[in-house]
Amino acid sequence: MTSNKNLYFLPGDGIGKEVMDEVRTIVNWLGKHGSLTFDMTEGLIGGAAYDAHGSALSDETLADAMDADAVLLGAVGGPKWDDVARQHRPEAGLLRIRKEMDLFANLRPAVVFDALAEGSSLKFDLVSGLDILIVRELTSGVYFGEPRGIETLADGTRRAIDTQLYTSPEIERVARVAFELARKRNNQVHSVEKSNVMETGVLWRSVVSELHTAEYSDIKLLHMLADNCAMQLVRTPKQFDVIVTDNLFGDLLSDCAAMLTGSLGMLPSASLGGVDDAGRRMALYEPVHGSAPDIAGQGIANPLACILSFAMCLRYSFDMGKEADMMEQAVQNVLASGLRTGDIMQDGKTQVSTTGMGQAVISELDKLNG
Ligand code: NAD
């Protein structure tokens, strides 16, 4: 058994706490049966942190997160904090931790589990077996570019400005993540931009091409315009392996790809930063869904997105691909056995609670572990 890794839990608000409890059970299972044990510590973020000390993310919590080997986050937000000033809103905590940890690469897999393929808005044949990874640049682009704002001109007209801005190192580092991940998958990267109408798109295409020629010529690189990519995602999604794109297009395209899979309760994500001198990469893992105030406290939330986020953590932070595969296989088996939480319920299947789903994953892990 190798030395302990420190997992820092930030359950957050609403169903964040409920789904995170199931992850904790799985971490404990892995500690007993796997090759690595984990120390679990916990902090407050979002509304829970605001209630405790008037800020959605305290400096102490941020420091603990930066010290951890990986951070697992549930979800933040809820109507309770709707009237809180913008800078203290639960979502501000989330934006701050992503920015301070410089998590520039957001990984959103769109994987269709066979048992749920019927739930997709596309035909079964188009999505069955689908496995796409979208790598979205997360800390630059139009959401951060200056100048920005709304001004009133002398004649009373109001004018709004956003600035789309990228530097070559910002593009190169996220492209590098995409190429490295493609090497562990099917060796293909689509680089997506709007070089036909945007200068940032021209720079994006040229930086990605230069990096490809210099270091990744073993990977198949294809360039695609963002509007075409949106169309291709719903036309023939299986043509894609890894897609790398900027912050704005990534926001839209990853939501589009997510819906191919059928349910929000099934979607994990990872946000990765740079590698430090000791070889440690800043990383935060979280389900794509929010705090779901409409079902919070009822014990019916789907914990699988959070459990699959932990599988990504094993794969990307701890190089535990075998254990991550086992975790994903366990989820596959649970779904094949007909168990469902309410959000993915289908005729003839059996509905289980959040805890019931977590326990079912543990039972499958026991079986897979022999
Ligand atoms: P949401 O993702 O919380 O919920 C959307 C719908 O999906 C709801 O009907 C909900 O019940 C359902 N749902 C979501 N996750 C589910 C799960 N695991 N199991 C079963 N059903 C699930 O989005 P929303 O309602 O737009 O936002 C609610 C709050 O969450 C807001 O305060 C919003 O700002 C916040 N939010 C946070 C994050 C995050 O923390 N990363 C992301 C999105 C929204």
Side-chain angles (χ1 to χ4, degrees), residues 6-12 16 20 23-24 27 38 40-43 45 65 68-75 97 101 269 283-287 306-314 317-318:
N6 177 236
L7 279 177
Y8 192 54
F9 280 66
L10 291 172
M20 205 61 114
V23 174
R24 228 184 289 275
V27 175
F38 300 91
M40 291 183 268
T41 49
E42 185 172 321
I45 192 168
D69 292 305
V71 179
L72 297 177
L73 193 140
I97 196 168
M101 291 176 75
S269 81
L284 182 147
Y285 300 86
E286 58 182 320
C306 208
I307 290 171
L308 292 168
S309 300
F310 176 57
M312 291 186 83
C313 171
L314 294 174
S317 281
F318 303 130

Side-chain angles (χ1 to χ4, degrees), residues 15 19 73-79 81-82 89-91 94 98 263-266 286-296 300-305 341-344:
I15 64 165
V19 294
L73 193 140
V76 300
W81 302 281
D82 276 354
R89 294 277 297 269
E91 294 76 9
L94 196 54
R98 287 175 181 159
S263 168
L264 206 50
M266 295 294 303
E286 58 182 320
V288 168
H289 63 72
S291 58
D294 55 333
I295 59 165
I300 58 171
N302 185 348
L304 293 179
T341 42
D343 58 313
I344 51 173

